[in-house]
Amino acid sequence: MTSPPSGRPLRADAQRNRAKVLAAAEEVFAVQGTSASTEEVARKAGVGIGTVFRHFPTKESLLEAVLVALLERLAAEAEDLRAAGDPGAAFFGFFSRVVAQAAAKQAVTEALAEAGVDARAATGRAGPGLKAALGVLLERAQKAGAVRADVGPGEVMALLAGMSYAAGRAGARDDLLRIAFDGLRPHNGRASAPPAPAS
C-alpha cells in the first residue's frame, strides 16, 4: 500500500479511507480523465470530500498517488511470482497482465500530463521496485531457458512500456504480445501464442 508522503503512520481507519479514495480515484480517472472532480472520487469512495483533501490536498497529488499505487501493486505482483514453479510462465504471464492493465495506467498517466504533473516523479518513487522485481522474474526465466540470455531488465522495462502504450492506443493486444514474446524467447524457429492473463 502506498504510504503518505509525510511518512507518518496512519491510524487504521485513516488507512482504510486512504485506500478507498485511491481505489475510487483509479477507477474514476481511468474512465473520465482529468475532467472528473474530486467530489466524484469522494462519492465513489463513500467518504466526504474533506477526507479526500485531508489525504490529497490537490487533484494532482491524488493523481500521482494513484500512479504510484499502480506501480507498487505491479511490483508486489512480480514479487509474489518469484517462487513460481514455472519461471517462464511467471515472466510471460506477468508481462501479459501489465499490458492488459495498460488502459487504466495510460489514462492516469495522460491525466497527470494534462494536469501539468510530471509522471516521472511517480515512477521515480515506485519504478525502481518494479524494475528490481521484474529483473528477478527475468533472471529466473532466463535460467529456465524460457527467455533469451542477451535481454536485460532495462530492455524488458522499455518493451513493457512500449507494449502497454501500443496496446492502450492501438488495440490488437494479443497479436502484439505474440510478436514481442517470440522476440524474447530463444530462437527456435517456432512462433507461439501468449498466455492468457490471469483474471
Side-chain angles (χ1 to χ4, degrees):
M1 155 91 74
T2 310
S3 51
S6 67
R8 292 193 303 270
L10 294 172
R11 296 187 328 260
D13 60 334
Q15 283 182 347
R16 283 192 297 273
N17 282 339
R18 190 172 194 278
K20 285 196 294 188
V21 169
L22 278 174
E26 180 179 337
E27 187 174 336
V28 168
F29 289 132
V31 173
Q32 299 180 30
T34 52
S35 63
S37 67
T38 46
E39 287 81 3
E40 178 66 25
V41 172
R43 276 195 297 275
K44 186 79 174 173
V47 300
I49 189 64
T51 299
V52 175
F53 285 125
R54 197 161 33 252
H55 293 284
F56 308 101
T58 64
K59 183 190 285 188
E60 290 76 17
S61 65
L62 177 57
L63 284 162
E64 183 178 330
V66 168
L67 186 56
V68 169
L70 277 164
L71 294 171
E72 288 179 345
R73 191 164 66 237
L74 291 174
E77 287 178 21
E79 283 284 337
D80 289 344
L81 292 168
R82 290 176 69 151
D86 185 338
F91 173 81
F92 288 114
F94 177 74
F95 199 112
S96 297
R97 282 193 298 280
V98 172
V99 174
Q101 295 175 39
K105 290 194 302 300
Q106 190 164 306
V108 173
T109 303
E110 288 176 354
L112 280 164
E114 289 171 20
V117 178
D118 188 350
R120 287 175 296 186
T123 52
R125 286 172 58 191
L130 175 57
K131 184 175 181 180
L134 184 56
V136 173
L137 292 184
L138 172 63
E139 183 179 359
R140 292 188 72 239
Q142 287 171 323
K143 286 181 178 175
V147 175
R148 291 165 42 176
D150 61 342
V151 177
E155 292 163 316
V156 172
M157 284 291 286
L159 183 59
L160 193 54
M163 291 290 299
S164 295
Y165 183 85
R169 289 278 184 169
R173 188 181 78 226
D174 290 343
D175 290 339
L176 293 173
L177 283 173
R178 186 181 65 254
I179 293 166
F181 289 176
D182 285 342
L184 285 168
R185 289 188 170 101
H187 297 295
N188 56 13
R190 287 182 297 128
S192 49
S199 53

